[in-house]
Amino acid sequence: MGRPRTNDDSVKDRLIVSATEMFATRPRELITIRGLAAAAGTSTAAVYSLFDGKDALIAEVRDRAVAGLFQKLSAVPSSGDPLTDLYELAVAYRRWGREHSHLYTVLFGGVQRFDPSGEVGAADPVRPLIEAIDRALSASVLAGEATSIALSLWATLHGLVTLELAGALDAATAESTFRPAILATLRGWTTHPT
């Protein structure tokens, strides 16, 4: 059994929810501690006592986004077909982005910088993707360098999800474009393109 929730937990949750929405919809430099506190129905002192200030609150929002996306992608089961696995990871990524649009925007809208050359950490959302790409490379289904493959797949996927979340693609277009675009990107890296 976990520890009982306290009033601090409730205030912390409200601050995180408010910060997530604000950082997803406004430039960071225009967001103040006072505005964050007011949106959460608390005092500026709570931001400092619970988070040590705005930067730590931003880090907490980012950490929640990273953890949520990692959990969603890690839940995708592996099959005997690495290309199917990669497509299913893309579907899970899109689903998480649609279900958590503010966290998605915070994660990929400037607070978090995607660095495909960095070391992949244990709970890095890109880990399931890299592992599936490695399986596809080992099975000689894909040819190329794992980071380049991951970056091209992510660029396609991120572009589609971002356009969908921004309303630039209506639901029918987003749905009809998703599968062919992801499969075409993967096909470009296959050892025997068709």
Side-chain angles (χ1 to χ4, degrees):
M1 233 174 139
R3 67 178 177 82
R5 287 184 55 82
T6 66
N7 188 43
D8 281 352
D9 291 335
S10 173
V11 172
K12 188 174 187 176
D13 288 343
R14 288 196 324 265
L15 279 165
I16 290 168
V17 168
S18 296
T20 300
E21 183 175 344
M22 290 175 110
F23 287 117
T25 58
R26 300 178 196 170
R28 178 178 175 165
E29 60 275 5
L30 296 181
I31 299 170
T32 64
I33 299 274
R34 181 168 300 194
L36 286 165
T42 191
S43 68
T44 56
V47 177
Y48 291 105
S49 66
L50 294 170
F51 295 101
D52 246 359
K54 186 164 101 172
D55 289 341
L57 179 52
I58 291 169
E60 179 67 27
V61 170
R62 181 207 165 272
D63 290 349
R64 285 204 180 184
V66 166
L69 182 54
F70 175 74
Q71 287 174 341
K72 186 71 161 185
L73 296 182
S74 294
V76 174
S78 295
S79 72
D81 181 353
L83 291 181
T84 297
D85 294 349
L86 285 166
Y87 178 76
E88 291 303 322
L89 284 166
V91 169
Y93 177 101
R94 177 183 181 216
R95 186 175 302 124
W96 185 85
R98 289 167 48 177
E99 292 170 356
H100 305 281
S101 61
H102 284 139
L103 282 175
Y104 183 89
T105 302
V106 168
L107 187 58
F108 296 117
V111 173
Q112 165 68 14
R113 187 174 71 83
F114 180 73
D115 183 5
S117 62
E119 186 175 327
V120 177
D124 194 317
V126 79
R127 178 177 286 289
L129 176 66
I130 294 293
E131 289 172 351
I133 290 169
D134 286 343
R135 286 193 308 274
L137 290 169
S138 294
S140 297
V141 175
L142 296 180
E145 197 273 318
T147 301
S148 296
I149 296 168
L151 184 56
S152 71
L153 180 58
W154 181 73
T156 302
L157 184 54
H158 177 65
L160 290 168
V161 172
T162 300
L163 289 170
E164 184 176 3
L165 293 179
L169 298 177
D170 61 57
T173 303
E175 199 59 46
S176 67
T177 304
F178 184 80
R179 183 176 176 82
I182 297 302
L183 294 179
T185 301
L186 290 172
R187 195 168 38 252
W189 291 100
T190 59
T191 53
H192 306 290
T194 56

